Amino acid sequence: MRIKKIRLKRIALSLKTPFKTHQAEIVKRPAIIVEIEDAEGKVGYGEITAFPSPFYTAETTDTAWHIVVDILIPSIEFKEIHHPNNFHEQASSFQGNQMAKAGLEGALWDLYAKQQGVGLARLIGGTKEAVKAGAVISLSERMKEEIGNLLSQGYERFKLKVEKGKEEESIAAVRSLYPDLPLMIDANGMYQAEDLTRVAAFDEFGLLMIEQPFRAGDFYLHRTLQEKMETPICLDESIESYEDAEQAIELGSCRMMNIKISRVGGLTEALKIHDLCVEHHIPVWCGGMIETGISKAHNIALASLPNFTLPGDLSGSTRYFEKDIIKPFIEVDRGEIRVSDENGIGYEIDEDFLKQVTEEAYEYILE
Ligand code: OSB
Ligand code: MG
């Protein structure tokens, strides 16, 4: 791919309103933007979506920076990379650190698509012209107002973050206003074995699915609950690799899957998981990470594949932030986001704004 330079930019964007879950309250969103430049000056963009604290996965912004700068960049043979898959293969000799790997691989995918003169969505087999938008509602006093507002923008699916002991109350509050709303909850692993019977009773709410009721790694409890429950279980944190997806399907631990590029270590792995789910008739959707337009653009490309049959956590540029680092902004129009037909991820970078929000930069030049 004739890679010449790799740049990392540590940025931070302020949220319009805090995003609150039972695990964390996010007020400011730091991220690492990855830029990979080739011999002709073409640049591919990726994003490392790890959070400052390891509340969701074990990585943090700092560990990801360390892994990329001190481990991946010095040990990867960039001259041997002819396709992003080659990076994926080389990086697999290091354990874990999916988000660090996914950010680098994302920049390579964007660059590769630009070198080929095609859009990333088409390159990976995406067929849709537009993807359906879905909203995530964090813990808030203004939940009903927020849903009303997002409904008027056409969002088609609503995912509530819930608090243990208060979930019936929140779901019932939404159901009383919107009996038929496509609604789901995300438990982010907060339940334990003792909660099984109570959670199984959530069947009465007619939820689209329940996301990650138990902790990652516990395929057994998820299977036990799925056997007792009509509502499909969807796994998020549990799926960090193709092999995790295989186990979950084989054991019957879920009937749906959330695919996040960053959580599974990049687009190559995400595509493998997608294909496995097609084979096993498991519907998938694309999860979000409260990310900038760069990561959102990668998500849109992924969600344009045919088996992404459910609306994901796909929102517009201004859902969480006043301003995005891409141009034009990602817009939700009548509940849909258009898949760009420009080359690569299909968006330009707002260099001035990116500069304004950059707190630290690093550059590596290959000989
Ligand atoms: O569990 O899906 C999750 C955000 C940060 C960390 C974990 C999760 C989330 C979301 C997606 O719910 C929020 C979004 O990007 O809209
Ligand atoms: Mg989740």
Side-chain angles (χ1 to χ4, degrees):
M1 286 177 66
R2 301 199 296 149
I3 297 158
K4 288 289 173 216
K5 290 177 188 165
I6 302 170
R7 284 184 292 274
L8 301 183
K9 290 174 182 170
R10 196 196 278 264
I11 66 160
L13 298 179
S14 296
L15 270 73
K16 295 203 280 197
T17 51
F19 186 94
K20 210 175 143 206
T21 72
H22 78 278
Q23 299 161 299
E25 180 166 357
I26 301 161
V27 178
K28 213 175 156 196
R29 176 56 161 127
I32 301 168
I33 303 304
V34 183
E35 305 179 359
I36 301 186
E37 191 174 322
D38 73 3
E40 281 171 28
K42 285 196 170 75
V43 183
Y45 294 89
E47 178 170 342
I48 300 175
T49 63
F51 289 95
S53 122
F55 73 91
Y56 171 68
T57 62
E59 290 178 87
T60 69
T61 324
D62 287 342
T63 68
W65 183 276
H66 158 63
I67 291 293
V68 173
V69 170
D70 302 322
I71 310 285
L72 293 173
I73 291 181
S75 50
I76 297 290
E77 298 282 359
F78 286 97
K79 287 198 178 68
E80 305 297 318
I81 295 180
H82 309 291
H83 184 278
N85 288 342
N86 304 141
F87 169 81
H88 186 76
E89 229 164 274
Q90 286 194 45
S92 69
S93 59
F94 299 105
Q95 304 303 314
N97 296 288
Q98 286 87 346
M99 294 184 182
K101 293 173 181 172
L104 275 179
E105 201 190 298
L108 289 169
W109 276 103
D110 180 29
L111 179 59
Y112 184 80
K114 285 169 175 164
Q115 290 176 340
Q116 302 294 310
V118 293
L120 180 59
R122 298 300 168 253
L123 176 73
I124 61 175
T127 51
K128 296 179 200 161
E129 306 242 310
V131 299
K132 290 197 186 305
V136 183
I137 313 292
S138 75
L139 300 176
S140 149
E141 303 290 305
R142 298 176 39 251
M143 178 179 74
K144 288 191 244 176
E145 269 171 83
E146 216 181 323
I147 295 177
N149 183 14
L150 291 159
L151 265 174
S152 70
Q153 296 170 46
Y155 280 86
E156 296 209 357
R157 183 229 62 180
F158 293 81
K159 162 169 144 183
L160 301 183
K161 293 290 194 183
V162 284
E163 227 171 332
K164 205 163 162 176
K166 293 195 186 155
E167 35 323 55
E168 282 104 333
E169 192 189 322
S170 333
I171 302 166
V174 176
R175 275 282 173 253
S176 69
L177 264 184
Y178 307 105
D180 304 316
L181 190 74
L183 185 68
M184 59 179 286
I185 59 170
D186 186 358
N188 287 110
M190 72 180 174
Y191 297 115
Q192 275 110 36
E194 70 211 36
D195 301 308
L196 243 149
T197 316
R198 198 169 66 84
V199 177
F202 293 173
D203 269 346
E204 68 164 309
F205 295 114
L207 300 172
L208 288 173
M209 69 192 90
I210 165 164
E211 186 176 347
Q212 195 69 40
F214 305 109
R215 68 170 189 87
D218 202 330
F219 292 106
Y220 169 74
L221 267 183
H222 283 107
R223 180 180 70 176
T224 312
L225 178 62
Q226 187 65 92
E227 281 171 347
K228 287 192 197 302
M229 214 174 177
E230 293 292 327
T231 309
I233 291 177
C234 173
L235 292 177
D236 177 1
E237 287 92 325
S238 287
I239 310 298
E240 293 197 344
S241 66
Y242 176 85
E243 289 74 17
D244 288 341
E246 261 187 322
Q247 287 189 57
I249 295 170
E250 200 55 48
L251 294 171
S253 307
C254 67
R255 291 196 194 128
M256 292 180 181
M257 220 175 274
N258 166 339
I259 302 184
K260 272 186 197 171
I261 299 171
S262 62
R263 194 194 63 235
V264 303
L267 195 49
T268 304
E269 195 80 0
L271 292 170
K272 279 176 63 185
I273 296 173
H274 165 269
D275 294 349
L276 178 75
C277 289
V278 172
E279 236 176 84
H280 292 273
H281 311 286
I282 301 280
V284 302
W285 54 277
C286 181
M289 286 291 284
I290 319 180
E291 57 246 297
T292 82
I294 292 177
S295 181
K296 280 180 189 288
H298 283 87
N299 291 345
I300 294 165
L302 177 64
S304 76
L305 268 73
N307 194 44
F308 279 78
T309 48
L310 302 161
D313 297 338
L314 302 173
S315 56
S317 285
T318 58
R319 168 80 181 100
Y320 297 120
F321 311 112
E322 292 290 350
K323 220 175 143 165
D324 204 341
I325 58 175
I326 56 160
K327 298 185 289 194
F329 285 0
I330 291 166
E331 304 274 2
V332 174
D333 181 18
R334 280 158 285 180
E336 290 192 331
I337 300 171
R338 207 181 65 82
V339 178
S340 169
D341 42 29
E342 302 289 327
N343 290 346
I345 58 171
Y347 293 85
E348 300 283 319
I349 302 303
D350 182 339
E351 295 290 351
D352 291 338
F353 186 53
L354 177 58
K355 208 167 177 180
Q356 257 183 54
V357 295
T358 298
E359 298 180 338
E360 186 183 356
Y362 166 89
E363 185 174 51
Y364 182 85
I365 301 174
L366 285 96
E367 318 79 63

